[in-house]
Amino acid sequence: MDSSLQQALPQWRRHLHRHPELSLQEQETAAFVCRTLASLGVPFTADVGGHGVVATLTRGASNRSVGLRADMDALPITETTGLPHASETAGVMHACGHDGHTASLLGAAALLAQDADWSGTVHFVFQPAEEGYGGARNMLADGLFDRFPMERIFGYHNWPGLEAGTVAVHDGAVMAAGSRVQITVDGHAGHAAMPHLSRDPVLASAHLLVALQSVVSRNVDPLQCAVVSICTVNAGAASNQIPSRCELSGTFRTHRPAVRDLVETGIRRIAVGIATSFDVAIDVDIQHGVCATVNTRAEAELAAACAAELGVPVRRNVPPSMAGEDFGWYLEQKPGAFIWIGNGPAGPGGELHSPGYDFNDAILPVAAEWLARTARRALAS
Ligand code: NI
């Protein structure tokens, strides 16, 4: 990598970090990506599935093709790092490192634009709205794989807690499927001192919340992965009234569709039982979000081989995460791999989605080189 690109990478990353934009609002981020691509002489198509941008390089006579993807959106978090390049937008922050992902994909485009020694087509996918707002699905619905045909697709996420620059490649599942659960418990309001005249949705909800913890501990095979978390409970306004309604919400995460179905069935079954036991009405609404991100075998091997060629440590034994990632939507349709690149020690408050997190600029060259090398090798093999 030449020194001008080595200097540009952290400048691009810090510019994006200072100007974060929430999911579905990445207008200026996309404009910055387009300006930078233009300065690199890389042609692109804007407004793909919202604020998505797809850049394309074609060389030689090969009709082979590959996609590389980065996400661009930030989070509704108030940054506390105090760094010179901290967010200049109140309440919005690049707390997941998508600024670094975007900068390194620009770097990969720069590397492949400078390099005459490859043949085929590379599509650089700059995706909006990864943080739960359907960005991958929106790009697919806008014809991503039809308008920009690619045989396979690769991407990465920075990973705090993994040594800086170390690459983790998973066989199979990398990230989990996520489903949202909304539960409404309806009873009958009444005086706190005359509970026999009410039907108490708060007491029923308390039993429901505890009983739901048995889905993972007593229904799911202990050697499979699942988590059920109820995260909000809302009811009542007075300390001397039994309210009429209690609302709960949460999420469950799994790696396999069969386990996801088992968890859903378990939640619904327990809700029916609690409703009968406590003479209340319980409505369960489950919305399936991202599917699991699952690497295909050949592409995981290719991704690991390219990392090894860069001379960085490659780990194949890191357990997958129960966090979600919408790269799974791409892997549902195309072979590919999603790897982790270590961001270095997390430190207190330095985890993903924390106000003290910052992307580690030192890993930008590794990320850009890995993306470019993986594309070249995918086209040649
Ligand atoms: Ni992320």
Side-chain angles (χ1 to χ4, degrees):
M1 182 176 294
D2 64 40
S3 63
S4 70
L5 182 56
Q6 228 156 26
Q7 283 170 12
L9 283 170
Q11 285 168 8
W12 292 339
R13 206 284 294 183
R14 290 174 185 209
H15 173 87
L16 293 167
H17 194 88
R18 279 196 297 273
H19 305 288
E21 291 175 300
L22 292 173
S23 308
L24 305 174
Q25 300 174 26
E26 308 90 341
Q27 203 162 342
E28 295 305 318
T29 305
F32 175 80
V33 165
C34 292
R35 280 201 304 278
T36 309
L37 290 166
S39 75
L40 297 169
V42 179
F44 59 86
T45 305
D47 303 323
V48 181
H51 295 302
V53 179
V54 181
T56 302
L57 281 173
T58 297
R59 287 254 191 288
S62 166
N63 62 358
R64 303 290 304 277
S65 57
V66 65
L68 303 173
R69 174 274 210 173
D71 39 16
M72 302 192 289
D73 52 332
L75 287 155
I77 292 174
T78 299
E79 181 162 357
T80 59
T81 64
L83 290 165
H85 59 271
S87 170
E88 293 174 11
T89 306
V92 184
M93 176 193 177
H94 269 296
C96 201
H98 298 185
D99 48 347
H101 303 165
T102 299
S104 52
L105 188 57
L106 288 167
L111 285 168
L112 289 167
Q114 291 162 3
D115 181 358
D117 190 25
W118 57 276
S119 182
T121 295
V122 184
H123 296 297
F124 305 86
V125 180
F126 295 89
Q127 183 208 301
E130 192 282 325
E131 298 286 1
Y133 289 86
R137 257 201 297 200
N138 293 344
M139 291 192 85
L140 290 167
D142 202 9
L144 178 69
F145 287 158
D146 301 319
R147 294 162 65 189
F148 310 95
M150 55 189 85
E151 295 164 0
R152 33 195 178 170
I153 186 163
F154 295 88
Y156 84 96
H157 208 291
N158 78 93
W159 210 256
L162 186 65
E163 201 176 323
T166 289
V167 165
V169 182
H170 296 83
D171 300 315
V174 188
M175 313 282 291
S179 303
R180 260 177 229 173
V181 191
Q182 298 273 357
I183 300 175
T184 307
V185 181
D186 279 311
H188 182 81
H191 198 296
M194 301 170 209
H196 58 296
L197 301 178
S198 75
R199 284 180 285 119
D200 185 353
V202 176
L203 180 64
S205 296
H207 280 268
L208 175 62
L209 203 159
V210 173
L212 288 177
Q213 294 308 310
S214 72
V215 173
V216 173
S217 72
R218 286 301 173 268
N219 298 140
V220 175
D221 180 337
L223 297 178
Q224 296 290 340
C225 301
V227 60
V228 176
S229 291
I230 298 299
C231 303
T232 70
V233 180
N234 287 298
S239 63
N240 58 0
Q241 190 222 22
I242 292 167
S244 62
R245 171 173 281 190
C246 182
E247 292 174 317
L248 304 90
S249 73
T251 178
F252 62 92
R253 310 294 174 95
T254 54
H255 284 144
R256 295 184 176 211
V259 178
R260 187 183 76 175
D261 294 347
L262 184 76
V263 171
E264 173 168 356
T265 304
I267 290 172
R268 292 188 186 283
R269 186 186 62 242
I270 286 170
V272 168
I274 294 287
T276 304
S277 301
F278 291 85
D279 195 19
V280 292
I282 301 184
D283 178 70
V284 177
D285 179 39
I286 291 175
Q287 303 283 341
H288 295 307
V290 293
C291 61
T293 296
V294 182
N295 289 342
T296 47
R297 186 177 293 265
E299 285 65 34
E301 295 306 323
L302 190 151
C306 290
E309 282 173 15
L310 290 175
V312 299
V314 180
R315 290 182 55 188
R316 303 299 299 270
N317 59 352
V318 178
S321 169
M322 297 310 288
E325 160 62 57
D326 77 1
F327 197 84
W329 294 118
Y330 302 125
L331 294 185
E332 220 181 25
Q333 297 188 27
K334 298 281 178 189
F338 188 74
I339 71 158
W340 296 347
I341 301 181
N343 199 56
E351 291 291 348
L352 296 173
H353 294 211
S354 297
Y357 166 86
D358 193 35
F359 186 93
N360 183 349
D361 284 333
I363 71 171
L364 285 167
V366 173
E369 297 266 17
W370 174 79
L371 287 162
R373 188 174 287 261
T374 298
R376 269 197 306 259
R377 199 173 168 128
L379 293 172
S381 62

